[in-house]
Amino acid sequence: MKQFNEKLANWMSPSPSKEAGINNIQIPGQVEHLVWQTRYKKPTVYEQDFVKHLIQAFASGVTELNDLVDSLNRQGFRRESGEVWTMQSFTEEMQRLGY
């Protein structure tokens, strides 16, 4: 099973493509369905750890951004750079990761 949508990586561009998506037309009954339709690369270990810590925070009842940031810091999960989380750095990281 593929871990990400290889065709999606081709569309990751700051400007729209002027080409018509040659060889990307889906023929009914011949479509390869991917489990990860919107993922353009396999998640890194950091991204997988991030998800685990977010799940733990939400499972403990966190619903507000400041509480989420506090929970990540209390759990000992740091930014990829090793710094503690702030509300601003969390927001920027979500934008960077595309969520």
Side-chain angles (χ1 to χ4, degrees):
M1 174 174 53
K2 293 182 181 177
Q3 294 295 312
F4 63 94
N5 186 342
E6 295 165 354
K7 291 183 179 182
L8 190 59
N10 296 333
W11 292 91
M12 300 296 291
S13 174
S15 60
S17 174
K18 295 182 181 181
E19 298 178 16
I22 297 170
N23 297 325
N24 287 316
I25 296 173
Q26 296 181 354
I27 299 170
Q30 297 180 13
V31 179
E32 178 187 4
H33 293 287
L34 303 173
V35 174
W36 307 107
Q37 291 286 329
T38 59
R39 198 160 72 180
Y40 69 94
K41 67 176 180 66
K42 187 175 177 179
T44 64
V45 172
Y46 163 75
E47 291 168 341
Q48 293 173 357
D49 288 345
F50 198 177
V51 169
K52 289 176 189 175
H53 286 88
L54 289 172
I55 289 170
Q56 187 171 341
F58 292 132
S60 71
V62 169
T63 58
E64 300 297 326
L65 178 57
N66 60 326
D67 295 330
L68 180 57
V69 168
D70 289 343
S71 177
L72 291 173
N73 289 327
R74 274 195 315 275
Q75 292 178 58
F77 182 69
R78 299 293 180 250
R79 298 175 57 196
E80 205 164 19
S81 63
E83 299 172 34
V84 296
W85 291 99
T86 64
M87 288 193 293
Q88 180 177 346
S89 66
F90 181 85
T91 302
E92 290 169 354
E93 187 69 343
M94 289 293 99
Q95 290 172 344
R96 183 185 77 83
L97 294 172
Y99 301 108

